[in-house]
Amino acid sequence: MRPKIVAANWKLNKTLEEGLNLVNFIQSKVNEYDDVIKIFCPTFPLLYPIHQVLQKNKKFFLGAQNCSAFEKGAYTGEVSAEILKSVGCEYVIIGHSERRKFFNEYENILKTKLSISLKHQLKVIYCVGEELDQRNQKLHFNVVKSQLENILELTDEQLQQIIIAYEPVWAIGTGVNATPKQAQEMHAFIRETIATKNADIANALPILYGGSCNPTNASQLFSQPDIDGGLIGSASLKGEDFIQIIYAAT
Ligand code: PGA
């Protein structure tokens, strides 16, 4: 059985005090015995303080929203995978559409980030997803397939450290989520694509949905056979909403 995973992508939100308050609130409300893996992905400066308050017995983990394509050295302003690991990160998000769009991160650089992250034992939440006009032109399967190329080049051992997040760009922050049917169809396609490389690993691979996932639509989305949880943006910024999304995954 695949684990259920709910990851909070705070993006560029929350001061240190706000972030600690939110994490403490969520931890105080969450049932110790639920099986959901919960990951907080705050901004870089909040990683270590949040790491210090995480309750592992309640399956809370830490993830970064990005990492440098460089290992170390004279790269002012960058944060490396090794440093992320040293402050308690176990996960890193790579290939988010906002990184692709605003920071020109495409397949070559993502490939480097992927391999550096895996080298430093970070599990990678690798994002894929089409733009609206690509879906309208019925190119969405082709687009996602090409975004999976980097993943298909990994070794079997590396592939087992990957979580895929399907995030249709038209659904991110828009309030318009993919329907459970649309999402399931793409998740099944992603799994089939990975299965061409290794069927057992594809079967065990967590695939998360992201894009306007909220307390109202989460349980319908998460009950689809190939949807193993969510990567949550705006709804992860409110404690009550995020807790309801965690419940929806149980
Ligand atoms: P959203 O963002 O939930 O606000 O749509 C999801 C994401 O970008 O990961």
Side-chain angles (χ1 to χ4, degrees), residues 17-18 34 50 60 70 73 75 81 85 102 104-105 109 111 128 134 172 210 237 239:
E17 189 185 354
E18 290 166 348
D34 81 44
I50 289 180
F60 283 102
F70 297 106
Y75 301 104
K85 187 75 187 176
F102 299 125
N104 290 321
E105 293 191 1
I109 195 160
K111 184 178 174 149
V128 297
Q134 294 169 325
I172 296 178
L237 300 174

Side-chain angles (χ1 to χ4, degrees), residues 25-198:
F25 175 76
I26 292 167
Q27 292 195 134
S28 71
K29 302 276 177 184
V30 163
N31 176 352
E32 181 142 4
Y33 300 105
D34 81 44
D35 277 335
V36 181
I37 293 173
K38 295 158 284 266
I39 307 167
F40 289 111
C41 304
T43 53
F44 290 137
L46 275 60
L47 287 167
Y48 189 61
I50 289 180
H51 167 66
Q52 290 180 301
V53 301
L54 286 188
Q55 295 175 24
K56 285 295 176 60
N57 59 328
K58 293 188 178 175
K59 296 196 171 63
F60 283 102
F61 299 93
L62 191 66
Q65 298 172 18
N66 179 32
C67 78
S68 178
F70 297 106
E71 290 248 33
K72 63 162 66 181
Y75 301 104
T76 303
E78 290 289 272
V79 178
S80 69
E82 187 180 20
I83 293 171
L84 292 175
K85 187 75 187 176
S86 77
V87 298
C89 284
E90 286 172 71
Y91 296 85
V92 60
I93 300 172
I94 290 181
H96 192 282
S97 63
E98 288 152 12
R99 300 291 321 167
R100 293 174 188 260
K101 183 171 159 197
F102 299 125
F103 302 97
N104 290 321
E105 293 191 1
Y106 291 103
E107 309 315 311
N108 269 351
I109 195 160
L110 298 178
K111 184 178 174 149
T112 309
K113 291 186 174 202
L114 189 54
S115 85
I116 290 184
S117 300
L118 292 169
K119 178 177 165 195
H120 292 284
Q121 281 88 44
L122 291 167
K123 296 188 183 78
V124 174
I125 302 174
Y126 198 78
C127 302
V128 297
E130 80 284 357
E131 306 263 355
L132 185 58
D133 61 331
Q134 294 169 325
R135 178 167 279 264
N136 289 340
Q137 291 174 62
K138 305 209 180 328
L139 294 172
H140 45 299
F141 292 115
N142 287 344
V143 169
V144 169
K145 191 167 184 184
S146 68
Q147 292 171 335
L148 288 171
E149 278 304 316
N150 280 335
I151 298 296
L152 291 171
E153 286 172 14
L154 299 176
T155 64
D156 284 356
E157 201 189 330
Q158 289 174 320
L159 199 47
Q160 292 175 61
Q161 305 306 313
I162 301 293
I163 295 166
I164 302 286
Y166 169 57
E167 300 205 304
V169 180
W170 47 273
I172 296 178
T174 59
V176 181
N177 59 289
T179 64
K181 187 163 172 259
Q182 286 171 322
Q184 164 57 27
E185 187 182 44
M186 185 59 87
H187 282 228
F189 172 78
I190 292 169
R191 202 176 301 290
E192 278 161 29
T193 305
I194 306 290
T196 58
K197 190 174 161 63
N198 184 316

Side-chain angles (χ1 to χ4, degrees), residues 9 11 96-98 167 171-174 210-213 231-235:
N9 177 9
K11 309 189 181 181
H96 192 282
S97 63
E98 288 152 12
E167 300 205 304
I172 296 178
T174 59
S212 298
C213 185
L231 178 56
I232 317 297
S234 41

